Amino acid sequence: PIKKTPEDFIFGKVIGEGSYSTVYLAKELSSGKEFAIKVLEKKHIMRERKGDYVMREKEVLMKLNHPFFIRLYYTFQDEDRLYFVLSYAKRGELLDYLNKLSSFDEHCSRFYIAEMVLALQYLHDLGIIHRDLKPENVLLNDDMHILITDFGSAKIMRPEKEERPKSEDSHGRRRNSFVGTAQYVSPEMLTNKKTCYSSDLWALGCIVYQLMSGLPPFRGGHEYQIFQKITNLEYEFPDGFDKVTRDLVENLLKLDPEKRLGCPEMGGYGPLKGHPFFKNVNWDSLPDETAPDLL
Ligand SMILES: NC(=O)Nc1ccc2c(c1)=C(Cc1cc(-c3cccc(C(=O)NCCN4CCCCC4)c3)c[nH]1)C(=O)N=2
């Protein structure tokens, strides 16, 4: 196939900004289709030694083919920049709707959490861990279904390497430098730098709590205060928090990653999808259902 070039698109407004990338709304001249183009400055990537992250994001995106994930259509480069042509999520971030509504009702929370469960099940079945799941990375398409994005922090579990411990520091801790976003990072990523599928289930537990209450469970002025609350499992439910939802959150926010509902050691996704919180969910038709009206 012929490689696209920046001249094949009209670049519009900035719709996303990260430490190493800027995302533009763009229109393809030949088709008139709208895309989100993620642009990365080569010099910045090399200076910050983030080439591995960029390569991994591309490798992960090329593996994904599911309605609940942002799709990668093309990649190309010019002298100074890398370009990832991605799905345009017309309704933006789930977080924006949550902030506007303060919190979601049980019906809306159930719909969006169920879609995230299906997305994580697909991702984990591919041997991929997102590692930075949070409401900002859950985008919405025009039909208000989810499109999970941002795989710059993802990890691909490769069986042949899984047993070999990563390089360790002088205290025997793994050198894995990556840590997710403070409010959603799992205790094991803070203590022994161990990354596992269950780390995404911890983030899911934080998101369930946040959709229903409006705020994430672990909060604080500084990151170290948040980290301390996470490792001490220091969080409370607001008065009136639904009891069934509370049980789901408590079974996801387990300090021991092997005790979290949905993890391989707890029987995988069957027991999670069977939790009473999801009692009326039709898992097979979810992508085709009409999304709840959020506004
Ligand atoms: N790190 C990344 O990979 N980031 C990415 C990747 C792909 C991608 C991406 C980010 C996208 C970000 C994005 C941002 C937006 C957006 C930006 C600004 C405004 C809006 C917008 O109008 N939202 C309407 C939603 N509001 C919400 C609150 C109530 C009123 C209506 C959407 C749409 N899509 C996107 O569409 N595709």
Side-chain angles (χ1 to χ4, degrees), residues 183 209 213-222 225-227 229-230 234-236 238:
Q183 287 84 350
Y209 179 104
S213 69
L215 291 170
F218 305 102
R219 310 183 288 270
H222 291 279
Q225 290 169 319
I226 299 172
F227 293 161
K229 289 182 178 176
I230 290 168
E234 197 182 314
Y235 75 103
E236 291 167 358

Side-chain angles (χ1 to χ4, degrees), residues 198-217:
S198 212
S199 303
D200 286 340
L201 296 168
W202 174 278
L204 181 70
C206 294
I207 295 170
V208 177
Y209 179 104
Q210 185 172 357
L211 294 192
M212 293 285 282
S213 69
L215 291 170

Side-chain angles (χ1 to χ4, degrees), residues 13-16 18 21 23 35-36 38 57 70 86-93 96-97 100 137 139-140 149-151 295:
K13 66 177 179 178
V14 172
I15 57 173
S21 64
V23 183
F35 293 96
K38 189 171 190 174
E57 178 169 26
I70 286 284
L86 301 161
S87 318
Y88 173 48
K90 199 163 187 173
R91 301 295 189 104
E93 298 176 8
D96 286 342
Y97 286 85
K100 183 149 179 98
N137 286 338
L139 304 178
L140 297 166
T149 192
D150 200 348
F151 294 88
L295 292 176

Side-chain angles (χ1 to χ4, degrees), residues 280-295:
N280 299 324
V281 170
N282 183 332
W283 294 98
D284 297 330
S285 64
L286 215 44
D288 306 315
E289 287 180 14
T290 302
D293 188 1
L294 276 184
L295 292 176

Side-chain angles (χ1 to χ4, degrees), residues 61 64 68-72 86-89 139 147-149:
L61 285 167
L64 302 181
F68 292 161
F69 289 90
I70 286 284
R71 196 176 141 195
L72 175 63
L86 301 161
S87 318
Y88 173 48
L139 304 178
L147 286 170
I148 293 180
T149 192

